[in-house]
Amino acid sequence: VISEENLTVSSLESLASSIHHFFGRQDYFKLGTAMTVLLQQSDLLTGSAQKCAIIYLLYDMYRNEPITSNPFATVFAYLMLDKDQSSDINAQEKNILPGLTSVEKYFLYQLIKGPPSKDLQKKTPSQIANAEVDPNQVYDVDPFLEILQSRYIQTPSCNKSGISCVIADPDNEKSMTFDINEKSQVIESLLTGECSVVTKAFQPDFCCLIPPLLKCDSELAFMIPDDEEREFEWDRTMCTSNSVGVEVRRLIAKAFTGVLSSQEQHQVLSELEKDQKLVYHIGITPIKLPDLVENNPMVAINVLLRLMQSNQISEYFSTLVNMNMSLHSMEVVNRLTSAVDLPPEFLQLYISNCISSCENTKDKYMQSRLVRLDLFIEVQAFCIEFSRIKEAACLFRLLKSLDPNEPDQRDKDLKDGEKDND
């Protein structure tokens, strides 16, 4: 991508597109580290165009982030500094990185102040390297350096003490006699393979000494008897699959959409009986309760009885009240009232919905079946008990009008109550 021949014909945009095509975002940091090594060892580069290309690619890989968040922002900072300028970011890195020409520095300055213009990105690195720059150009990068310095201060001293694993050949005259093939071999040996310097750093290890034991004469010593054999305590349930729970969850999921067979219902109820906490782990939620009630009311009754101590039981009651009234839903509530004490406010609201549903039902047969449920009979008994109240007597007559074939015994009881009231 950054070969001298390619840099004369490919624009900066084209170079960036090639990098994005051949490398994923997870490879950007490793790739940027490799290019930084080349930047540090300037004798491995053939000219200014390659420097400009590397600087642009280091910028472009993280162009969607603030420049100060770029992992290679410190590289940019020290490239902008002159050798005699002081900074608190990383003195070691400053000594390793080469200086830039005025053209290269102006190009980097445009990236730091960014975003670069479209015209700049359409130029080739060779065109940028051969451009002319005002020698009196002022580079205001103080705000950029201040942000990096504040972050560098918070970096642990151990991390700030590292240096590059590559040391340049001090005999520059000799190194400059390398031909292109020899340079390619050196670059390949440095940046590829298991011993690649890209993944290594030369820095001191952080050593944490083992603290000495505290000597305390007044403290009871911990005794370890030597004459006893010790055995490991194994948790034999660890990492074992709960096949029972998996099967019950499968059957409950099936119960939401269809009727379970007698054998499947028996299996679910039997497993719930064995493990009282299993009901909390089989996928039952207030939202799914109506489907379970309509398809498998007996399972729904058993589940609700085991959820009575749940902190979500009020949500289950609310779902029962607001779901469409049906024989199955009324049967579930009827069984619950026989087994546990339900909240009075829930019963009152549910009874009100029952009455409203019966009034709105046009099918006489379905009306009759709804009225004949035990829960409805309890409402009639309630009306007889309080027949002295006019509204209770009216409610009783309404219930009787829904089923004209009902025996007249309760009518007689109601009339007797009304006479007592008069």
Side-chain angles (χ1 to χ4, degrees), residues 108-150:
L108 175 56
Y109 180 69
Q110 290 178 284
L111 299 181
I112 294 176
K113 302 299 288 185
S117 64
K118 290 290 185 181
D119 292 338
L120 180 64
Q121 296 178 72
K122 292 184 182 299
K123 292 182 179 180
T124 66
S126 296
Q127 289 175 328
I128 293 174
N130 295 323
E132 295 183 358
V133 178
D134 183 0
N136 298 321
Q137 174 69 40
V138 177
Y139 304 107
D140 181 17
V141 292
D142 289 341
F144 174 64
L145 294 177
E146 289 175 1
I147 296 176
L148 297 183
Q149 288 170 355
S150 64

Side-chain angles (χ1 to χ4, degrees), residues 148-187:
L148 297 183
Q149 288 170 355
S150 64
R151 294 180 181 175
Y152 184 74
I153 293 174
Q154 302 174 6
T155 304
S157 299
C158 185
N159 293 347
K160 293 189 290 188
S161 303
I163 61 174
S164 174
C165 292
V166 182
I167 300 176
D169 186 353
D171 189 357
N172 291 331
E173 294 298 328
K174 181 180 178 181
S175 64
M176 292 301 293
T177 61
F178 289 170
D179 60 26
I180 295 178
N181 292 331
E182 289 176 324
K183 287 185 178 182
S184 299
Q185 292 176 2
V186 173
I187 292 174

Side-chain angles (χ1 to χ4, degrees), residues 382-398 414 417-418 421-422:
F382 170 85
C383 294
I384 294 174
E385 182 179 356
F386 296 96
S387 59
R388 296 184 302 276
I389 301 174
K390 181 179 179 181
E391 286 77 8
C394 293
L395 175 58
F396 182 82
R397 290 194 184 92
L398 174 62
L414 183 60
E418 288 177 332
N421 188 35
D422 294 339

Side-chain angles (χ1 to χ4, degrees), residues 76-83 85-87 94 105 145:
F76 299 154
Y78 276 107
L79 288 174
M80 290 299 300
L81 293 175
D82 295 329
K83 288 295 183 181
Q85 283 185 273
S86 62
S87 179
K94 178 183 176 183
K105 183 176 290 188
L145 294 177

Side-chain angles (χ1 to χ4, degrees), residues 207-213:
C207 299
C208 182
L209 299 178
I210 301 176
L213 295 177

Side-chain angles (χ1 to χ4, degrees), residues 338-356:
S338 303
V340 294
D341 293 331
L342 298 178
E345 60 274 11
F346 163 72
L347 286 176
Q348 294 172 6
L349 184 56
Y350 190 81
I351 290 172
S352 175
N353 288 351
C354 285
I355 295 172
S356 176

